Amino acid sequence: MAQQSVTFRQWEVLRHLNADGEQPQSDLAEKMGLEAQTLAGILSRMERDGLLVRKYCSEDRRRKLISPSRKAERIWHDMQACCERVKDRAILNLSEAELSQLESTCEKIRDNLARDCTEFGHLPRDLYHNRQQQTEEEHRSESLEDTRVDFDETLAPTRTPRP
């Protein structure tokens, strides 16, 4: 990507355009999980660099349609080939079972991250609080170990004579 002067986010834009074709800017922002303003800056730089074309939608002039330029289509194939080489290197010496397990684990992680945070309530904070409370109790217990009194010993109060 660096050889083509393309950032990771720009590569993501090109990937979505390559997979889904021309699309509204708002749909692209949603697919990428970006705010519209953030994507607008990325698209402006890409348009400036000749990597995409923006045009108004004929049915709704407020919507902008995004499509890759010829330049983007040319470099897309080079970038895709590079990605395949990186992927091949990453999975080198992994068995089919390991690859299957990796895929399954990554799917679970994606599903977890795709869920609405409110679905979990305050679970992460509760977990943190419980761990911190447990650590404090362990520390308190260790501190008490140092001050434990053996009640089997006779502890006679000492009397101080009155003057």
Side-chain angles (χ1 to χ4, degrees):
M1 290 187 308
Q3 290 175 349
Q4 302 293 344
S5 298
V6 173
T7 67
F8 176 74
R9 286 295 190 183
Q10 291 172 340
W11 179 84
E12 276 188 302
V13 168
L14 294 176
R15 181 174 57 89
H16 286 290
L17 293 175
N18 186 60
D20 304 328
E22 181 179 77
Q23 56 195 287
Q25 187 170 326
S26 57
D27 291 0
L28 189 56
E30 186 176 320
K31 289 176 187 175
M32 292 179 65
L34 295 175
E35 294 292 326
Q37 298 85 350
T38 303
L39 180 60
I42 295 166
L43 297 178
S44 291
R45 286 186 297 280
M46 291 179 76
E47 189 174 32
R48 177 200 67 202
D49 296 341
L51 294 172
L52 61 81
V53 177
R54 281 197 271 196
K55 65 180 182 182
Y56 288 103
C57 177
S58 59
E59 292 99 35
D60 184 352
R61 299 280 297 157
R62 294 172 295 174
R63 294 181 81 184
K64 292 181 182 173
L65 297 174
I66 311 298
S67 59
S69 68
R70 290 190 191 274
K71 177 182 177 181
E73 290 170 355
R74 283 193 305 271
I75 66 172
W76 173 252
H77 297 290
D78 292 339
M79 290 190 301
Q80 191 62 28
C82 178
C83 289
E84 286 299 318
R85 288 191 303 274
V86 169
K87 179 183 151 202
D88 290 345
R89 183 176 178 188
I91 64 172
L92 187 67
N93 299 323
L94 293 179
S95 69
E96 288 297 320
E98 290 170 321
L99 287 172
S100 179
Q101 181 62 47
L102 175 63
E103 185 177 338
S104 174
T105 302
C106 289
E107 226 172 85
K108 288 177 184 177
I109 291 170
R110 274 192 303 271
D111 289 347
N112 288 342
L113 295 175
R115 290 187 183 143
D116 185 6
C117 291
T118 58
E119 181 179 334
F120 295 103
H122 295 291
L123 183 62
R125 180 180 288 157
D126 292 346
L127 285 175
Y128 171 77
H129 177 71
N130 290 343
R131 284 191 186 138
Q132 186 163 357
Q133 187 176 12
Q134 181 181 7
T135 303
E136 288 172 2
E137 288 172 7
E138 289 170 359
H139 179 68
R140 203 172 20 255
S141 175
E142 289 170 4
S143 296
L144 290 176
E145 291 283 334
D146 297 339
T147 59
R148 183 165 287 151
V149 176
D150 187 357
F151 289 103
D152 290 335
E153 292 181 13
T154 306
L155 297 175
T158 54
R159 293 184 185 231
T160 317
R162 289 186 185 187

